[in-house]
Amino acid sequence: MKRRKASFKYESEKIPYVLAGHYVPDFVVHTSLGYIYIEAKGYFRPEAKRKMVAVKRQHPELDIRLIFYSGSKVNIRFAEKYGFKYAIETIPQEWLDE
């Protein structure tokens, strides 16, 4: 394109798209405040992260929480960045008592 003197910009625009799919939470817990959805993660694959962010954005009314098998700083930063409550190794009793 440069040799042909075309006017262009490289990767200058973002075009949103939505992929249809279904999220099946690992656990659904009924508490006195309503339902909480718990996702248990060992290795948190990039495609799973994208799915969790998409579900949270499209369903902000759902209380989705993450349980990590280990205290990976990368996973903790992800949860904090996107506003997921999280715990490491076990489900906190206070989650069940709400």
Side-chain angles (χ1 to χ4, degrees):
M1 287 193 293
K2 285 183 180 181
R3 283 189 297 221
R4 294 184 179 197
K5 297 184 179 4
S7 175
F8 69 93
K9 295 177 185 173
Y10 178 73
E11 293 186 355
S12 63
E13 297 183 20
K14 291 182 181 182
I15 301 171
Y17 65 94
V18 176
L19 297 174
H22 292 90
Y23 166 58
V24 179
D26 290 329
F27 304 97
V28 179
V29 181
H30 185 250
T31 71
S32 61
L33 299 176
Y35 290 100
I36 61 173
Y37 300 87
I38 300 175
E39 190 68 24
K41 290 295 176 196
Y43 174 62
F44 203 2
R45 292 179 168 77
E47 61 271 17
K49 290 178 181 180
R50 284 191 297 273
K51 176 178 66 176
M52 296 308 298
V53 170
V55 170
K56 188 167 184 68
R57 284 185 179 154
Q58 293 177 40
H59 297 281
E61 75 283 2
L62 298 180
D63 185 356
I64 302 172
R65 303 178 186 195
L66 303 170
I67 297 293
F68 297 121
Y69 294 149
S70 68
S72 161
K73 291 180 182 179
V74 172
N75 289 345
I76 291 169
R77 280 195 302 268
F78 170 86
E80 291 173 347
K81 178 178 180 179
Y82 292 103
F84 288 98
K85 288 186 181 181
Y86 69 92
I88 298 165
E89 293 184 8
T90 60
I91 296 172
Q93 186 61 44
E94 58 266 19
W95 287 12
L96 305 175
D97 293 340
E98 292 178 350

